[in-house]
């Protein structure tokens, strides 16, 4: 629950996003991937647009990890504005977490690989929010410095 809340705060605090459906989708962005919640339940409880945004930023967990990562890069240019906002905030949060406390078993190279991949995803997204994009770039730069120490 901490991560989705962080993503929502990044959107509102850094990106000045006020759209309630985008903020709701940010809170729910991992729901389809990580819980048994169905598309129909999201629509029933939060509406079609929120569900659509969640679907746009969700990976198909039946695919291999590498395929999912490749698809994020490939699909990034086609994301809607709302999905791009959520994607950037999600990557900011993930990078900050990796900088503070890398996952068990991740060495320097694995952490840097993640940062490089996250940057590639975001660089392929349409430009929709300069504040979020700039913040992401700063977090990536700081992250590389910290990880390489």
């Amino acid at each position: 629950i901490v991560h989705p809340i962080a993503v929502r705060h990044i959107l509102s605090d850094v990106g000045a996003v006020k759209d309630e459906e985008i903020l709701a989708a940010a809170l729910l962005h991992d729901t389809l991937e990580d819980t048994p919640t169905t598309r129909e339940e999201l629509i029933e409880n939060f509406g079609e647009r929120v569900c659509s945004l969640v679907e746009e930023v969700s990976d198909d967990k039946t695919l291999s990890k590498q395929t999912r990562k490749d698809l994020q890069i490939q699909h990034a240019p086609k994301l809607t504005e709302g999905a791009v906002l959520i994607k950037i905030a999600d990557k900011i949060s993930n990078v900050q977490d990796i900088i503070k406390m890398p996952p068990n078993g991740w060495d320097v190279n694995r952490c840097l690989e993640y940062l490089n991949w996250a940057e590639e995803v975001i660089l392929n997204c349409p430009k929709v929010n300069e504040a979020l994009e700039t913040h992401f770039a700063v977090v990536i730069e700081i992250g590389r410095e910290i990880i390489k120490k």
Side-chain angles (χ1 to χ4, degrees):
I1 189 79
V2 173
H3 170 69
I5 292 170
V7 171
R8 186 253 182 245
H9 280 291
I10 291 166
L11 281 175
S12 60
D13 298 348
V14 176
V17 174
K18 304 283 186 238
D19 184 310
E20 291 179 7
E21 290 176 317
I22 292 172
L23 296 173
L27 288 169
L28 297 164
H29 78 275
D30 284 335
T31 304
L32 293 176
E33 286 181 26
D34 297 340
T35 75
T37 303
T38 65
R39 176 182 197 284
E40 292 72 25
E41 289 171 319
L42 278 181
I43 292 170
E44 182 180 321
N45 290 290
F46 301 101
E48 184 72 45
R49 182 168 178 240
V50 170
C51 180
S52 178
L53 288 166
V54 172
E55 287 179 315
E56 270 193 270
V57 298
S58 294
D59 289 341
D60 180 350
K61 291 281 191 128
T62 66
L63 302 172
S64 72
K65 187 172 191 169
Q66 188 58 53
T67 300
R68 293 192 312 263
K69 289 176 76 171
D70 292 343
L71 286 172
Q72 279 198 42
I73 294 166
Q74 292 170 21
H75 291 157
K78 302 171 198 133
L79 295 174
T80 63
E81 181 177 340
V84 170
L85 293 169
I86 295 166
K87 181 72 72 175
I88 296 171
D90 181 41
K91 295 295 184 248
I92 289 169
S93 177
N94 290 344
V95 168
Q96 289 174 328
D97 289 346
I98 287 169
I99 293 166
K100 292 176 194 164
M101 186 179 298
N104 287 335
W106 283 34
D107 62 11
V108 169
N109 288 334
R110 178 67 187 95
C111 292
L112 291 173
E113 283 174 17
Y114 182 89
L115 269 60
N116 292 339
W117 167 76
E119 183 176 47
E120 190 171 357
V121 171
I122 299 309
L123 290 176
N124 280 327
C125 287
K127 305 305 173 227
V128 298
N129 186 298
E130 187 175 346
L132 282 174
E133 293 152 8
T134 300
H135 188 70
F136 176 80
V138 169
V139 168
I140 284 286
E141 183 178 326
I142 291 169
R144 286 186 177 121
E145 291 173 14
I146 291 171
I147 291 168
K148 288 179 182 178
K149 286 185 179 181

